[in-house]
Amino acid sequence: MDFTFTEEQQAAVEAAKAVFGPVAPDSVPSPALTPGAVADDFDRALWSKLADADLLSLLLAPEHGGAGLDAIALCLVLRESAKTLARVPLLEHTAAAVAVQTYGSHELKEQILPRAARGELVLTAASAGRTGHDPAQLAVSARRDTDTDTDTWILDGAQTGVTWAHNADHIAVPAHTPQGRTVIAVLPHPHEGLTLAEQISTTGERLGELHLDSVRLEPHQIIETDEAWDRLHQLLTTGTCALALGLGERALQMTGDYTSKREQFGYPVATFQAVAVQAADRYIDLRAMEATLWQAAWRISTQAGGALPTAGDIAVAKIWASEGVRRVVQTAQHLHGGFGADTDYPLHRYHAWAKQLELSLGPAAAHEETLGDLLAAHPLG
């Protein structure tokens, strides 16, 4: 089997390294040092560089100003972004744009995609539901207005923990209809009936608690395809696994650099068996995270068949990402000793980001339950 990335995918990685490489993790605002939110906005300067490098339109078709690449290319770029803790909504923006491109109306595509490709519009998605533990599509209701002659949709409900909501121009909000179907509302922000309360993430970033009170949208702003939300959620989850992998790789690299220089009893601590074994275990975690990530991204990109539906591979990838990134940063903190908790050193930032990624879109236990349901419905062998 050939696991080599294509030339186009490798070119995307090189472009990402050129953009993210100069970002210093020390410059990323620390949640341990900042009361409240670490910033009011994401890194707009970095966002502009991503737009100039055509990294905001990787998965969009050429007619919308994109490169027409796949989920694997996106995950490669996200992996690089996490190594430097890049404060940009690249995953949410791209995933929402792909949903519009694949399932949106012609009018919605023309309204959003060209400007999204240039970074002039910022997109995000609501994926945490009302509490963070219930399905996102059940937190908001959507119904057609039957009381007037206007052909509009009415949305009511709430979503918690919406990433970058305060700074996005459009928010993709899943909702359920009275018929039990799931639709996606592409909601402009600001909009009448939409309010946002501030929440603070583990990383110190501003999240939005989104409240919808009889919000009216035109039919072209509603994506009605049944599979649209599942596909959007799958891409968000797989992209989160890519972020966890990149972050874990950088944390382990920092640990290797530190333990190679830190001496005790006249020898680098990296030469001690107890240190080497712990680092080796975490390296195995990262390689498992990587293998399961590419399997999930490949299934999304190709829609290839398998013993289980694509959701099974994504669940396996998220289980490894959640458990693996937690173990990696905990070991990194331990092997750094007291230096790892020093707020003048960037490792504590990686620990905070890792905890956020571990729980985002469900912890390992939630995905283990999903995998169990899939195995019960699709017996192997």
Side-chain angles (χ1 to χ4, degrees):
M1 298 179 68
D2 184 5
F3 294 98
T4 306
F5 297 115
T6 66
E7 291 184 6
E8 292 81 3
Q9 291 165 349
Q10 291 172 341
V13 174
E14 294 305 314
K17 288 180 177 179
V19 173
F20 295 121
V23 178
D26 283 341
S27 67
V28 176
S30 167
L33 301 175
T34 311
V38 296
D40 292 332
D41 201 356
F42 58 84
D43 190 337
R44 292 280 179 174
L46 184 59
W47 186 254
S48 296
K49 293 178 182 178
L50 289 170
D52 293 341
D54 296 326
L55 292 174
L56 299 181
S57 57
L58 277 180
L59 274 60
L60 297 182
E63 58 263 33
H64 301 303
L69 298 183
D70 56 16
I72 296 174
L74 174 63
C75 287
L76 285 166
V77 173
L78 291 170
R79 180 188 193 178
E80 297 302 320
S81 76
K83 293 178 181 179
T84 58
L85 307 180
R87 298 181 54 258
V88 287
L90 177 60
L91 170 58
E92 297 82 2
H93 177 85
T94 303
V98 169
V100 171
Q101 173 177 260
T102 307
Y103 304 106
S105 65
H106 176 75
E107 184 177 354
L108 188 63
K109 293 177 185 178
E110 292 298 312
Q111 176 186 349
I112 287 180
L113 294 183
R115 296 183 65 195
R118 298 190 296 268
E120 298 170 3
L121 282 180
V122 178
L123 312 179
T124 191
S127 57
R130 184 181 294 274
T131 65
H133 301 286
D134 54 334
Q137 64 270 28
L138 300 182
V140 173
S141 65
R143 60 182 175 84
R144 287 187 179 273
D145 183 7
T146 58
D147 298 329
T148 66
D149 294 332
T150 60
D151 185 16
T152 58
W153 285 77
I154 302 175
L155 280 75
D156 291 281
Q159 292 271 357
T160 193
V162 183
T163 55
W164 312 110
H166 293 274
N167 311 111
D169 299 295
H170 288 81
I171 305 172
V173 182
H176 65 279
T177 70
Q179 295 76 31
R181 297 175 57 226
T182 297
V183 299
I184 301 176
V186 183
L187 181 63
H189 173 236
H191 192 79
E192 185 177 357
L194 162 65
T195 57
L196 284 175
E198 185 178 77
Q199 297 174 312
I200 308 297
S201 73
T202 304
T203 63
E205 300 291 350
R206 293 175 80 200
L207 303 178
E209 185 179 62
L210 181 148
H211 294 270
L212 305 177
D213 183 11
S214 297
V215 170
R216 290 181 174 270
L217 292 180
E218 298 298 322
H220 77 273
Q221 296 172 300
I222 302 292
I223 297 175
E224 297 189 56
T225 307
D226 289 334
E227 64 185 24
W229 171 244
D230 285 340
R231 294 286 177 84
L232 172 55
H233 192 268
Q234 288 178 356
L235 185 54
L236 288 170
T237 305
T238 305
T240 301
C241 296
L243 293 170
L245 175 62
L247 186 149
E249 288 177 327
R250 179 54 62 87
L252 189 61
Q253 179 188 0
M254 292 167 62
T255 304
D257 293 341
Y258 175 78
T259 56
S260 296
K261 298 174 182 177
R262 174 74 166 89
E263 291 191 0
Q264 195 168 3
F265 308 114
Y267 296 94
V269 296
T271 63
F272 298 170
Q273 187 177 36
V275 173
V277 167
Q278 291 183 70
D281 285 343
R282 300 295 77 82
Y283 177 82
I284 293 171
D285 278 335
L286 290 172
R287 297 291 68 81
M289 291 166 64
E290 183 176 17
T292 55
L293 165 65
W294 298 135
Q295 172 70 9
W298 174 74
R299 289 290 301 275
I300 289 177
S301 299
T302 63
Q303 295 301 310
L308 291 176
T310 302
D313 289 301
I314 295 171
V316 171
K318 188 57 167 70
I319 292 167
W320 271 105
S322 293
E323 296 284 357
V325 76
R326 174 177 52 80
R327 288 193 292 260
V328 167
V329 295
Q330 285 179 344
T331 298
Q333 289 281 120
H334 175 64
L335 295 182
H336 274 82
F339 199 57
D342 188 344
T343 54
D344 290 330
Y345 187 68
L347 185 61
H348 74 284
R349 294 173 172 85
Y350 285 84
H351 195 281
W353 281 56
K355 179 55 66 175
Q356 182 72 25
L357 291 171
E358 176 192 348
L359 302 178
S360 293
L361 295 160
H367 292 275
E368 287 167 352
E369 184 175 341
T370 297
L371 183 60
D373 292 341
L374 289 170
L375 288 169
H378 303 83
L380 302 180

